[in-house]
Amino acid sequence: MAARDLGGRPVLESVYSVIALVFVLVACAELCDAATVVDVYRLIQYDIAGAPFGSRLAGLNHHASSLHFPPGADLSRTVLVIPVRDLNLGYVKDYLSQRQPLGGLLFLLPQIFSFESKESSGNGEELLKNIVMELEQLLIHTNIPYPVYFAFENDDINTVLADIKRNDESGQPATATTGGYKLVVSTTEPKKVASPVISNLQGWLPGLKADGDPNQLPTIAIVASYDTFGAAPALSMGSDSNGSGVVALLEIARLFSLLYSNPKTRGRYNLLFGLTSGGPYNYNGTHKWLRSFDQRLRETIDYAICLNSIGSWDNELWIHVSKPPENAYIKQTFEGLSNVGDELGIKVGLKHKKINISNSRVAWEHEQFSRHRITAATLSELSTAPGLFENTGSLADSRNFVNEAAVIKSVKLVAESLARHIYGHQGKNIQIFADEGSLAVNPSYIRSWLDLLSQTPRVAPFLSKNDPFVMALKKELEEHTEEVILQNEVLDGMFTFYDSTKATLNIYQVASVTFDLLLLLVLGSYLIVLFSFLIITTRGLDDLISLFRRPPSRKVKTA
Amino acid sequence: MTVFHFFNCAILTFGPHAVYYSATPLSEYDTLGTSVKAALVYLGTALVKLVCLATFLKVSENESFDPYQELLKALIGFIDVAGLYFALTQLTHRNISQNHKFQAVGLGWAFADSVLHRLAPLWVGARGLEFTWDYILQGLEANANLVFSISLAALGSLMWLRKNKPKTLVPIIYACAGIVATMPSITRCAFLSFCW
């Protein structure tokens, strides 16, 4: 007996552990069984000097409703699903400004705004683009106390929306008692991004110094800011603003590195290429980059050309300056560019906007240069200065709206006028970067970099310190220039950002509580009927009746 | 409310077994032991069937109706019959009448079938937020299976336990037993031909 006990003990223990494991597994088993799972992107949440903007919440667990809800319905626990195609902007504006309580908002974007769709832009799409831009501006500058998400339209979510519309129109909005669809986003609450980092890159192409010449060579700077800001930071690819500028800068760097690689064709100017970050935040990165300059370097810079949004123009570009147009350098630059522009069939206009030192708003990158006493101009397709967070590469700025030919023409314009200035061929009709030569602008280089930029969201606070994209830019600059420096700075403390930019939305089709209660009633009656049927057939009707009769009192028997 | 749904489906799936046990004289004669033994025999039969299916059946890439495979599945269904034979005749039961024996065995058989085939999907699936009709259909299937198992056990007891059967009824009994044993294959064929 004792031997069997000892032998049985480990077996029993293993059986217990197996049973415990089974219980744990059973308790934890939770499969994802949603009708639809969609990737959603949250509206940005940020503070400017403590004032909150954007969507302040991330978690979502409410019923869905479309715009056709019956008037007067209580929407404080409902999520409104709005396709942007049918958007009535005035209505949303009223809703937001009156601060009406709402469970959440889900905007459905047409596929043309995503990178995967290859549709070309037509007239209808331009209208959509404007609507999306207006919507973004509205949402960015409002403090919204509930979650706001963006998603792309696809078949699944379209069928769900059609179903929701049908339910709403038949007068049965979804609440806990009538079934319908439930939208669930389970993420952690958003936290502040501590010390957002902005990384500036610079590449240096030294010019040919003549023997015995003690003076420093003059420098020309070409700058573009590469980061973006938009309503949905996970979708802010910024193909035009400022992906086109970055691509143009890289191509110009490549062409001039070819020229400068041979000492016979090396010009007598140094070239400084700058990829700055912090563009949407009053060009904070440019300011910090310029502040870190050596005094000697600052003195040798003749002028700087900033590239901003040169990807979707037809035949007109603008040069924006802050110094008066009578300035010698400005005049020279403008004439050089417009001469080349005439040859290429591009109309180049000049716009002068004075800087207001007391106003901290910096609308163009060249204004930061001017504040540091460096002559600069911005080449752009935009004719007026953008406001805060306008034209910063947001949702509406997708690859489908960027024209490669426009970028190629801009590269030709800038490169040709630079080269003529460097080699002293102003006014002469020479094409250095002719189309069939070895220095031709490479369209596939431009296309592949544009495609990469259109797939990479580049909102600066969400780029980590050694972000792979920044490293890729650094590597590319290293191929074309010498001395590449990566400078990491902390973003101006006036802006605070919160994380949680991307999530998955589960859409469940739920049954109402009344359905469950009804089912319970039906099942209860079924079991009761089965019970009585079985008793009657096997034991007889008397037994059934005797169940309900009180058992005869014992006292009677003993007596 | 999703645990509520799980509870509803659970009582639909397992309720009738408990009701059957308590409503009929089975509970008076305390035949629980018989049912438990029958359930264990079902477990063994199911394992043998699984092994046979895995060894002899090919996995077909398309949904075509292969008569050879269907015949094989029907033959493996007869392992069920063998299991029932074992449960009815070979196990030692307490002194209970034949009438109650087949009911207890059939009940235990059906209960084991429900638990093994339907409890796990129910636990994992019915507790989610998403609502589907699947689990209610599964419960109805469990009910039908109860009737089916008890009828199979009845035919089995007629065949093997009762010694004096009228001669004319014997082929009918065997034919009915054959049909009931291959019922899953028959329902599948009927369903396919209905859908075409």
Side-chain angles (χ1 to χ4, degrees):
Chain A
M1 208 60 141
R4 197 197 287 176
D5 235 4
L6 278 175
R9 186 67 69 78
V11 174
L12 207 60
E13 279 175 0
S14 57
V15 167
Y16 278 148
S17 54
V18 165
I19 292 177
L21 181 65
V22 166
F23 268 122
V24 165
L25 274 176
V26 150
C28 301
E30 262 198 50
L31 289 181
C32 172
D33 54 346
T36 317
V37 178
V38 189
D39 278 329
V40 290
Y41 310 96
R42 195 170 78 100
L43 181 65
I44 194 162
Q45 180 182 357
Y46 68 102
D47 301 336
I48 299 185
F53 290 102
S55 155
R56 310 308 292 182
L57 289 178
L60 192 65
N61 190 346
H62 290 308
H63 284 266
S65 167
S66 70
L67 280 173
H68 302 273
F69 59 86
D74 176 26
L75 293 174
S76 57
R77 301 187 65 78
T78 325
V79 177
L80 275 182
V81 181
I82 304 180
V84 165
R85 275 184 221 272
D86 312 331
L87 184 62
N88 180 350
L89 206 61
Y91 176 79
V92 177
K93 217 180 277 192
D94 287 336
Y95 219 82
L96 287 177
S97 60
Q98 288 165 19
R99 306 188 135 265
Q100 294 193 10
L102 191 62
L105 270 175
L106 176 66
F107 288 104
L108 296 179
L109 299 166
Q111 276 290 343
I112 194 168
F113 293 108
S114 86
F115 180 73
E116 282 84 32
S117 124
K118 298 285 179 221
E119 302 162 26
S120 58
S121 64
N123 213 357
E125 275 75 20
E126 289 296 321
L127 214 63
L128 262 179
K129 184 177 176 193
N130 290 335
I131 292 177
V132 173
M133 274 167 59
E134 271 193 63
L135 176 69
E136 276 186 283
Q137 288 303 310
L138 174 65
L139 290 173
I140 289 175
H141 293 287
T142 322
N143 178 7
I144 305 176
Y146 41 82
V148 178
Y149 281 98
F150 294 93
F152 286 111
E153 282 177 357
N154 61 16
D155 292 327
D156 294 331
I157 213 171
N158 280 341
T159 40
V160 168
L161 184 63
D163 228 352
I164 296 176
K165 273 193 198 154
R166 230 195 344 256
N167 283 343
D168 278 348
E169 273 156 14
S170 68
Q172 284 183 0
T175 56
T177 51
T178 52
Y181 286 93
K182 200 158 188 180
L183 303 182
V184 177
V185 173
S186 38
T187 60
T188 52
E189 278 315 299
K191 296 184 292 293
K192 271 193 206 176
V193 174
S195 311
V197 168
I198 45 179
S199 315
N200 297 319
L201 282 165
Q202 72 180 54
W204 179 260
L205 258 186
L208 186 66
K209 208 165 170 182
D211 298 329
D213 185 0
N215 299 328
Q216 281 280 48
L217 283 176
T219 311
I220 301 178
I222 302 160
V223 191
S225 87
Y226 67 85
D227 71 328
T228 58
F229 180 91
L235 288 178
S236 298
M237 318 297 187
S239 311
D240 197 9
S241 311
N242 193 10
S244 52
V246 171
V247 169
L249 186 145
L250 288 176
E251 177 66 3
I252 296 173
R254 186 187 73 88
L255 290 171
F256 275 95
S257 80
L258 283 175
L259 271 176
Y260 274 44
S261 56
N262 186 348
K264 286 197 212 144
T265 53
R266 200 176 293 170
R268 290 187 199 247
Y269 281 81
N270 298 321
L271 286 175
L272 176 64
F273 294 96
L275 283 168
T276 58
S277 179
Y281 322 110
N282 295 325
Y283 290 101
N284 196 249
T286 317
H287 164 68
K288 296 202 156 99
W289 181 51
L290 292 172
R291 209 173 49 181
S292 73
F293 272 5
D294 205 3
Q295 181 64 14
R296 279 194 312 163
L297 171 60
R298 197 179 305 188
E299 282 170 3
T300 63
I301 299 186
D302 265 3
Y303 63 94
I305 297 187
C306 311
L307 302 169
N308 183 353
S309 310
I310 45 179
S312 55
W313 51 275
D314 276 329
N315 48 14
E316 186 165 16
L317 277 178
W318 299 94
I319 304 212
H320 298 265
V321 292
S322 53
K323 292 220 163 117
E326 295 76 39
N327 181 302
Y329 279 123
I330 303 279
K331 230 168 155 183
Q332 181 191 313
T333 319
F334 178 60
E335 274 174 14
L337 278 168
S338 54
N339 284 343
V340 181
D342 288 336
E343 285 170 33
L344 291 172
I346 308 171
K347 179 170 173 305
V348 182
L350 183 67
K351 283 230 160 163
H352 173 228
K353 175 178 172 285
K354 283 207 190 119
I355 314 178
N356 185 352
I357 301 276
S358 53
N359 186 2
S360 63
R361 168 77 191 130
V362 177
W364 295 109
E365 197 159 11
H366 69 263
E367 291 181 19
Q368 286 288 12
F369 280 88
S370 301
R371 283 169 197 240
H372 287 265
R373 312 238 182 284
I374 302 176
T375 312
T378 304
L379 180 68
S380 175
E381 69 200 6
L382 304 166
S383 55
T384 50
L388 183 63
F389 300 141
E390 269 177 33
N391 284 110
T392 47
S394 47
L395 267 180
D397 197 346
S398 79
R399 176 73 178 87
N400 296 308
F401 297 107
V402 173
N403 188 353
E404 274 162 37
V407 179
I408 293 176
K409 272 200 281 190
S410 321
V411 169
K412 273 197 204 152
L413 175 67
V414 177
E416 200 70 54
S417 61
L418 261 184
R420 287 191 195 176
H421 176 77
I422 290 175
Y423 298 108
H425 294 307
Q426 276 106 323
K428 295 188 203 160
N429 190 359
I430 300 181
Q431 280 226 1
I432 300 180
F433 302 103
D435 270 340
E436 276 79 40
S438 59
L439 287 173
V441 175
N442 188 346
S444 45
Y445 184 83
I446 289 186
R447 190 177 315 130
S448 61
W449 271 99
L450 255 184
D451 285 348
L452 175 64
L453 282 160
S454 308
Q455 287 173 295
T456 320
R458 308 186 293 281
V459 182
F462 303 109
L463 290 176
S464 58
K465 201 159 174 199
N466 291 325
D467 189 78
F469 181 71
V470 177
M471 291 298 125
L473 281 180
K474 180 166 184 251
K475 189 157 170 285
E476 190 65 19
L477 267 184
E478 276 168 1
E479 283 204 14
H480 303 315
T481 60
E482 309 172 21
E483 264 192 77
V484 173
I485 301 177
L486 174 69
Q487 177 199 25
N488 285 319
E489 298 275 347
V490 175
L491 183 59
D492 183 10
M494 196 169 75
F495 295 93
T496 324
F497 290 90
Y498 296 79
D499 64 2
S500 176
T501 54
K502 197 171 160 177
T504 37
L505 172 73
N506 293 312
I507 304 182
Y508 298 105
Q509 187 164 21
V510 289
S512 54
V513 173
T514 47
F515 173 78
D516 279 329
L517 288 171
L518 208 65
L519 189 63
L520 184 64
L521 214 63
V522 166
L523 286 177
S525 48
Y526 164 68
L527 284 177
I528 289 172
V529 164
L530 184 67
F531 185 76
S532 12
F533 173 74
L534 284 173
I535 284 194
I536 291 175
T537 49
T538 54
R539 294 195 236 183
L541 190 59
D542 301 329
D543 270 340
L544 178 65
I545 298 175
S546 72
L547 273 180
F548 298 106
R549 204 176 291 149
R550 223 171 288 157
S553 161
R554 297 248 175 222
K555 285 205 179 125
V556 176
K557 277 222 167 133
T558 50
Chain B
M1 281 315 131
T2 54
V3 181
F4 198 168
H5 187 63
F6 166 73
F7 176 71
N8 280 344
C9 293
I11 61 177
L12 178 60
T13 315
F14 303 114
H17 301 89
V19 163
Y20 192 89
Y21 185 78
S22 54
T24 58
L26 288 179
S27 54
E28 282 176 11
Y29 292 98
D30 198 16
T31 50
L32 196 61
T34 314
S35 299
V36 168
K37 284 184 205 160
L40 290 173
V41 173
Y42 179 83
L43 184 64
T45 314
L47 284 171
V48 170
K49 259 174 56 173
L50 273 177
V51 167
C52 287
L53 278 173
T55 317
F56 295 117
L57 243 52
K58 305 191 284 274
V59 177
S60 66
E61 281 86 29
N62 48 359
E63 283 284 326
S64 69
F65 179 77
D66 188 357
Y68 182 60
Q69 300 288 317
E70 298 299 321
L71 193 64
L72 224 58
K73 278 189 205 164
L75 279 178
I76 291 180
F78 277 105
I79 295 181
D80 257 339
V81 179
L84 258 183
Y85 172 78
F86 181 77
L88 277 172
T89 57
Q90 304 295 351
L91 288 178
T92 55
H93 303 288
R94 285 205 343 240
N95 213 355
I96 43 182
S97 74
Q98 239 175 46
N99 198 10
H100 296 141
K101 196 194 294 190
F102 84 79
Q103 284 185 53
V105 167
L107 186 66
W109 196 263
F111 187 72
D113 182 273
S114 285
V115 165
L116 285 178
H117 287 279
R118 291 175 196 99
L119 181 62
L122 202 60
W123 175 259
V124 171
R127 281 183 316 139
L129 270 179
E130 177 80 11
F131 173 76
T132 50
W133 288 100
D134 290 346
Y135 301 106
I136 297 178
L137 288 176
Q138 212 180 44
L140 293 173
E141 198 189 319
N143 277 297
N145 191 271
L146 175 63
V147 172
F148 168 78
S149 299
I150 291 189
S151 51
L152 192 59
L155 284 169
S157 91
L158 272 181
M159 284 196 293
W160 303 306
L161 293 181
R162 193 164 300 214
K163 300 305 172 197
N164 47 346
K165 298 186 279 257
K167 288 291 172 202
T168 45
L169 279 182
V170 168
I172 299 180
I173 292 175
Y174 280 106
C176 288
I179 292 174
V180 171
T182 55
M183 188 59 87
S185 298
I186 295 178
T187 46
R188 185 153 177 269
C189 297
F191 190 64
L192 278 175
S193 56
F194 195 65
C195 287
W196 275 344

